[in-house]
Amino acid sequence: MPELPEVEVVRLGLDGNITGRTLSDVEVRHPRAIRRHILGAGDFTGRLAGRKVVATRRRGKYLWVELSSGMDADLALLAHLGMSGQLLIQPPDAPDEKHLRVRFRFDDDGPELRFVDQRTFGGFLVDDLVTVDGTALPSAIAHIARDPMDPRFDARATVAALRRKKTELKRALLDQTLVSGIGNIYADEALWRARLHWSRPTERLSAAKAAEALAAATDVMREALGQGGTSFDALYVNVNGQSGYFDRSLAVYGQERLPCRRCGTAIRREPFMNRSSYFCPRCQRRSPG
DNA sequence: AGTATCCCCTGAGCGC
DNA sequence: TGCGCTCAGGGGATAC
C-alpha cells in the first residue's frame, strides 16, 4: 500500500491492534525483507524479542513503531511497504500467505502481525531514533522530508525549495527529500486538479501555481485517507485485508481514453520514469496558458 | 552537489 | 498452451 493515505490506513490499523503488546518470536522467512538491517536476521529478531510497542508513527510512506527499551536507547522498528507490501493482523492459526516474508508474534499469544510482500521491495530494520529538526525519527530516514499531514509541514518553505529545483514538476512532487508521501497516483491527481502538465519545468512555475499543486496533493491525499485509500486489487488492503474506495474518485490515474471529468477530452498516458503519467491534454498543457 | 537512469522482484495481462 | 513482452501505489545505488 504505497502512498501516504494507504500507509496511514495501515498505521491506524497497527495502532489499534499492536500498541501496548509485547513482541516475542519474530520469524524472518525471506532475507530480502530485512536487507536494510545490516546486522542480519539474528540481530533483528534478538533486538525485537521482549520489546513492547508504545507508539506507531509515520512520515511519508515510512512507518515505524516505537519500542520500549528499558535501560537501552530508544528503538524503532521501521517499515516500508515498497510496491506490494502488506501488514496483516492474523489469528495465529490462519494459514501462511503465499508471500509471507516476516511473522511477528506477541507474548499474549493473540493475533500476530504478518508482512506479506509479493515483490519484496518492502522491508524492515531496527533502528535508533535521532532528533531531526525537533522531531524523533529513525536514523535511516533522517533525509525524508515532512509530509503534508505533518503539523509542522512548512508549505511556504517547500514551495521555495521546489522552485529552486531544475527538473520537471512531477519529479519534484515525487522527491521524498522535498516533500514526502506523494507517489505516482496522487502526483497525477494533484497535477490534474492544479491544471499543470507533469513535465512543467519547476523553474518556470510561479509560487502561486507551485503552492496550488502542493495544496492539491494535500487535499487529494486527505480525501483518499477518508475513503480508506486507493485499491485497484487485493494487493492494497488494510491490516484486516479490506480495500479502500478512493479508486472511484480518481480523475486521471489509470483512466486512459476515458473522458476528462472537467472537459470531456480523452485522458492520455505518457511514459514517465519507466512508469506512466496520466493527464488531460486539454486541461494540462505543456506551456502555461 | 544535483539530477537522471538503472535495478531490485513477482505476477497479471496481452498479442502472437 | 505457452512464450515474450509490457506494466505495476517504490526508492537506493550508481552514473552523469
Side-chain angles (χ1 to χ4, degrees):
Chain A
M1 308 197 62
E3 304 183 48
L4 185 156
E6 293 77 31
V7 178
E8 178 63 8
V9 165
V10 171
R11 189 198 65 78
L12 287 164
L14 287 184
D15 201 54
N17 282 282
I18 68 168
T19 301
R21 299 175 67 198
T22 299
L23 286 160
S24 54
D25 304 315
V26 176
E27 196 182 327
V28 177
R29 312 251 317 204
H30 196 301
R32 267 182 61 80
I34 57 147
R35 66 193 179 283
R36 293 188 67 191
H37 189 88
I38 303 304
L39 295 177
D43 184 80
F44 181 80
T45 58
R47 294 181 77 180
L48 291 174
R51 309 267 184 183
K52 183 175 173 182
V53 175
V54 295
T56 63
R57 312 275 184 208
R58 182 190 54 72
R59 172 171 285 196
K61 305 170 193 172
Y62 286 89
L63 64 85
W64 66 96
V65 299
E66 287 184 10
L67 301 166
S68 71
S69 46
M71 319 277 279
D72 303 338
D74 288 338
L75 278 186
L77 170 64
L78 176 65
H80 195 288
L81 301 174
M83 287 287 271
S84 55
Q86 304 173 340
L87 283 168
L88 304 173
I89 300 293
Q90 291 280 50
D93 60 357
D96 287 359
E97 292 77 5
K98 181 176 181 187
H99 300 296
L100 176 63
R101 307 306 188 192
V102 185
R103 184 201 318 275
F104 300 87
R105 290 194 179 90
F106 294 86
D107 71 353
D108 55 14
D109 295 325
E112 56 189 41
L113 174 64
R114 298 182 182 183
F115 180 60
V116 176
D117 187 15
Q118 176 192 106
R119 295 177 71 184
T120 71
F121 289 170
F124 302 88
L125 67 155
V126 178
D127 201 5
D128 299 318
L129 289 171
V130 297
T131 299
V132 181
D133 187 27
T135 300
L137 286 183
S139 66
I141 61 164
H143 63 296
I144 300 294
R146 291 185 193 278
D147 64 61
M149 307 298 170
D150 188 323
R152 295 185 54 192
F153 177 72
D154 187 339
R156 282 176 62 91
T158 304
V159 164
L162 186 149
R163 295 179 71 225
R164 281 195 296 270
K165 295 213 159 261
K166 289 190 184 337
T167 189
E168 296 164 334
L169 174 56
K170 185 172 169 183
R171 288 179 185 271
L173 291 176
L174 295 177
D175 181 347
Q176 306 296 301
T177 68
L178 185 67
V179 50
S180 65
I182 304 170
N184 208 32
I185 291 181
Y186 300 113
D188 281 0
E189 294 299 311
L191 290 166
W192 179 81
R193 291 183 178 208
R195 295 177 156 90
L196 289 163
H197 193 273
W198 59 266
S199 69
R200 169 76 76 87
T202 45
E203 64 266 41
R204 288 207 291 105
L205 192 65
S206 69
K209 284 307 278 185
E212 202 181 322
L214 211 50
T218 306
D219 290 347
V220 71
M221 290 196 293
R222 193 165 278 131
E223 290 168 29
L225 178 57
Q227 299 291 311
T230 300
S231 312
F232 307 120
D233 54 43
L235 233 43
Y236 301 94
V237 293
N238 66 19
V239 299
N240 300 310
Q242 299 157 333
S243 292
Y245 297 104
F246 196 71
D247 61 311
R248 300 170 189 175
S249 305
L250 296 176
V252 286
Y253 188 87
Q255 310 297 307
E256 188 178 16
R257 288 191 287 275
L258 295 175
C260 171
R261 297 179 178 199
R262 258 188 321 241
C263 74
T265 305
I267 299 301
R268 271 224 298 264
R269 182 179 80 82
E270 287 182 354
F272 170 80
M273 291 172 74
N274 283 328
R275 296 193 178 80
S276 301
S277 276
Y278 296 90
F279 65 101
C280 170
R282 180 166 171 188
C283 298
Q284 299 166 264
R285 309 277 179 146
R286 282 179 185 271
S287 305

